[in-house]
């Protein structure tokens, strides 16, 4: 078998939102916290649940389930918070917390080619998906945090102009 025939694998942090299986590159995940209450932010977008203090830093916490239109599978108090870090050009990395219904583990995913235009999970938001992985016969959508952040920033700017 030549190197070209072997499927590409990379390590990803896997988790669940609603009934969907998702992953983030390991390099973006800093830690996982048990649920902690967040402080609400007035007039925030519906999926921005608030801010919390993590070792002296104020971190915005978002609920991708709300952003993607998923129904929660359990009360928010039973969720974990995945603390992520997103590299930014000419700036310090941005830290964001993401609610998740459950966290799985770090695992190598086989990256597969998917020619379909719609992944069937996030209507009208296929740009949030950077790829599809597979492990133990399950398909896992790999999220693109940079594009999600870009979308949030665009929506915030749009709301400020109103």
């Amino acid at each position: 078998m030549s190197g070209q025939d072997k499927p590409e694998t990379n390590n990803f942090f896997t988790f669940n939102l609603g009934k969907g299986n998702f992953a983030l590159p390991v390099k973006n995940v800093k830690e996982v916290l048990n649920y902690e209450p967040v402080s609400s932010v007035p007039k925030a977008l519906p999926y921005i649940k608030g801010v919390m203090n993590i070792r002296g830093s104020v971190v915005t916490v978002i609920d991708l389930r709300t952003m993607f239109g998923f129904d929660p599978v359990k009360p928010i108090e039973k969720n974990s918070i995945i603390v992520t870090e997103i590299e930014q050009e000419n700036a310090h990395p941005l830290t964001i917390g993401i609610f998740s219904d459950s966290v799985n583990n770090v695992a190598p995913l086989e990256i597969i080619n998917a020619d379909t235009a719609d992944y069937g999970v996030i209507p009208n938001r296929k740009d949030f998906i950077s790829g599809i992985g597979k492990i133990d016969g399950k398909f896992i959508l790999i999220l693109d945090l940079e594009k999600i952040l870009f979308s949030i920033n665009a929506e915030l700017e749009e709301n400020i102009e109103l």
Side-chain angles (χ1 to χ4, degrees), residues 35-77:
Y35 173 82
E36 293 181 29
V38 297
S39 299
S40 302
V41 176
K43 298 183 181 182
L45 297 170
Y47 51 82
I48 298 179
K49 295 304 180 187
V51 295
M52 64 186 297
N53 182 332
I54 299 178
R55 286 181 284 295
S57 295
V58 177
V59 175
T60 301
V61 180
I62 61 175
D63 188 347
L64 293 178
R65 297 170 310 177
T66 302
M67 183 180 217
F68 297 165
F70 297 167
D71 292 327
V73 295
K74 58 184 171 182
I76 202 154
E77 298 81 20

Side-chain angles (χ1 to χ4, degrees), residues 42-118:
K43 298 183 181 182
L45 297 170
Y47 51 82
I48 298 179
K49 295 304 180 187
V51 295
M52 64 186 297
N53 182 332
I54 299 178
R55 286 181 284 295
S57 295
V58 177
V59 175
T60 301
V61 180
I62 61 175
D63 188 347
L64 293 178
R65 297 170 310 177
T66 302
M67 183 180 217
F68 297 165
F70 297 167
D71 292 327
V73 295
K74 58 184 171 182
I76 202 154
E77 298 81 20
K78 302 284 185 186
N79 284 228
S80 298
I81 299 173
I82 303 168
V83 180
T84 65
E85 196 170 83
I86 304 167
E87 293 294 326
Q88 300 185 98
E89 283 188 36
N90 305 318
H92 291 288
L94 179 64
T95 303
I96 293 179
I98 298 172
F99 281 122
S100 74
D101 288 308
S102 63
V103 294
N104 299 324
N105 54 10
V106 173
L109 297 182
E110 176 186 340
I111 307 302
I112 62 170
N113 291 328
D115 295 332
T116 180
D118 183 0

Side-chain angles (χ1 to χ4, degrees), residues 11 13 21 26 30 44 51 60 63-64 70 74 82 90 107 110 114 122 126 135-136 146 148 155:
N11 282 332
F13 180 84
N21 300 309
V26 169
K30 296 303 159 201
V51 295
T60 301
D63 188 347
L64 293 178
F70 297 167
K74 58 184 171 182
I82 303 168
N90 305 318
E110 176 186 340
I122 309 172
K126 66 181 178 189
I135 187 170
D136 298 332
E146 288 82 7
I148 292 171
E155 194 169 344

